[in-house]
């Protein structure tokens, strides 16, 4: 399934020229420190956000009060886009995850104008909405049905996704702590398993990339 865990290929800065971004987005937007809430569930502000710097996590809390992280977004990614589908209120928390996070703002009217003016951008937005729904559904299924190691393997597989057969290295924006939050485990577990896969000669892992060293062996366990 394409782009299940990340929309890192959806980078607004690579789609639109700087002039277009400046004309539509309020580039002197908002600044948040790590842990600050950007919006709460039931908030009704009709705005769409662009991450200019830092990270944002979208999350909910289960009945036990445990945080369930749905997405972690980085520079160039937008969120709050469900208002385009007629959603009147938010259904999640948006929380700054980077040490300092800068956001640009866009009203729903300007977003619709931008989608009309730029066909490629409009297609990406519709793709974004559909894939995010599938991504979250799959994440919830994996969290319920698989153990921590299986969830990590699924995470790695989904990062490669369509490129799995062709590319041996893929870029990613996630720290080990980010990965742990996304798959519902501890950072120590992620670190231990990544070290194990590296020792076995399956992968090389850095803060910015994952390289498959033994694609055949890794494919077998997936």
């Amino acid at each position: 399934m394409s782009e299940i865990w990340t929309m890192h290929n959806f980078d607004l800065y690579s789609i639109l020229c700087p002039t277009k971004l400046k004309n539509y987005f309020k580039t002197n937007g908002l600044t948040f420190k790590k842990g600050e809430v950007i919006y709460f569930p039931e908030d009704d502000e009709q705005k769409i956000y662009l991450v200019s710097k830092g990270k944002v996590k979208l999350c909910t809390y289960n009945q036990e009060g445990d945080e369930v992280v749905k997405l972690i977004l980085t520079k160039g990614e937008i969120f709050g886009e469900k208002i385009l589908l007629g959603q009147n209120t938010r259904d999640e928390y948006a929380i700054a995850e980077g040490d300092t996070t800068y956001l640009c703002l866009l009203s729903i009217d300007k977003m619709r104008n931008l989608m009309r003016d730029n066909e490629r951008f409009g297609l990406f937005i519709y793709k974004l909405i559909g894939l995010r729904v599938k991504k979250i559904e799959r994440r919830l299924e994996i969290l319920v049905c698989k153990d921590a190691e299986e969830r990590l393997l699924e995470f790695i597989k989904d990062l490669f996704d369509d490129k799995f057969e062709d590319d041996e290295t893929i870029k990613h924006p996630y720290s080990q702590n980010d990965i742990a939050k996304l798959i519902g485990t501890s950072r120590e577990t992620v670190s231990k398993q990544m070290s194990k896969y590296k020792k076995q000669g399956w992968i090389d892992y850095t803060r910015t990339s994952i390289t498959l060293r033994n694609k055949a062996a890794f494919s077998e366990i997936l």
Side-chain angles (χ1 to χ4, degrees):
M1 188 180 295
S2 177
E3 306 274 356
I4 288 298
W5 289 89
T6 177
M7 286 297 294
H8 64 273
N9 288 328
F10 182 86
D11 183 347
L12 205 56
Y13 288 95
S14 68
I15 297 171
L16 301 176
C17 66
T19 301
K20 184 78 74 173
L21 280 170
K22 184 176 181 180
N23 288 342
Y24 280 93
F25 281 86
K26 291 183 179 179
T27 53
N28 59 337
L30 303 173
T31 302
F32 294 87
K33 295 181 180 180
K34 186 171 184 177
E36 290 187 332
V37 177
I38 299 162
Y39 60 69
F40 292 88
E42 305 304 323
D43 281 0
D44 58 3
E45 185 183 31
Q46 298 290 290
K47 299 288 185 182
I48 295 169
Y49 297 84
L50 166 69
V51 183
S52 180
K53 179 183 178 182
K55 294 180 181 179
V56 172
K57 67 178 176 183
L58 304 183
C59 63
T60 58
Y61 291 87
N62 62 25
Q63 292 182 345
E64 290 72 37
D66 299 321
E67 182 184 75
V68 179
V69 178
K70 298 163 69 174
L71 295 170
I72 292 179
L73 307 172
T74 57
K75 181 181 177 180
E77 296 189 287
I78 65 170
F79 61 100
E81 76 287 343
K82 291 180 185 177
I83 61 173
L84 292 168
L85 303 179
Q87 183 186 66
N88 294 320
T89 58
R90 311 294 189 186
D91 59 1
E92 63 207 0
Y93 293 86
I95 301 174
E97 187 72 4
D99 291 335
T100 302
T101 296
Y102 298 102
L103 303 177
C104 302
L105 300 177
L106 184 69
S107 70
I108 187 171
D109 290 336
K110 285 190 175 181
M111 171 62 89
R112 287 172 174 159
N113 290 337
L114 181 54
M115 292 172 69
R116 283 195 295 267
D117 293 345
N118 189 304
E119 181 179 357
R120 182 174 175 231
F121 175 73
L123 290 173
F124 266 90
I125 291 298
Y126 287 123
K127 177 183 178 183
L128 170 74
I129 294 172
L131 290 177
R132 280 188 176 170
V133 171
K134 293 178 181 178
K135 180 192 307 185
I136 292 169
E137 289 176 347
R138 177 166 162 81
R139 283 204 61 243
L140 292 175
E141 179 183 351
I142 290 173
L143 285 171
V144 170
C145 300
K146 300 195 175 187
D147 63 26
E149 181 172 4
E150 290 173 324
R151 295 197 298 270
L152 178 57
L153 292 173
E154 290 284 353
F155 174 86
I156 296 172
K157 174 181 179 293
D158 289 334
L159 279 180
F160 281 88
D161 204 332
D162 290 341
K163 300 179 180 181
F164 194 77
E165 296 298 328
D166 302 316
D167 293 357
E168 294 183 351
T169 299
I170 190 167
K171 299 292 184 180
H172 71 86
Y174 302 118
S175 66
Q176 290 186 354
N177 193 48
D178 292 337
I179 296 172
K181 290 180 179 180
L182 284 166
I183 67 174
T185 189
S186 67
R187 187 197 62 78
E188 290 76 16
T189 296
V190 172
S191 179
K192 179 180 177 181
Q193 291 301 127
M194 286 295 195
S195 296
K196 170 185 163 184
Y197 301 150
K198 184 173 182 178
K199 186 176 181 179
Q200 290 173 326
W202 292 354
I203 66 170
D204 278 339
Y205 168 82
T206 71
R207 271 294 288 266
T208 59
S209 68
I210 297 177
T211 300
L212 293 181
R213 293 301 183 191
N214 190 333
K215 187 183 297 184
F218 205 79
S219 299
E220 286 181 7
I221 62 174
L222 294 172

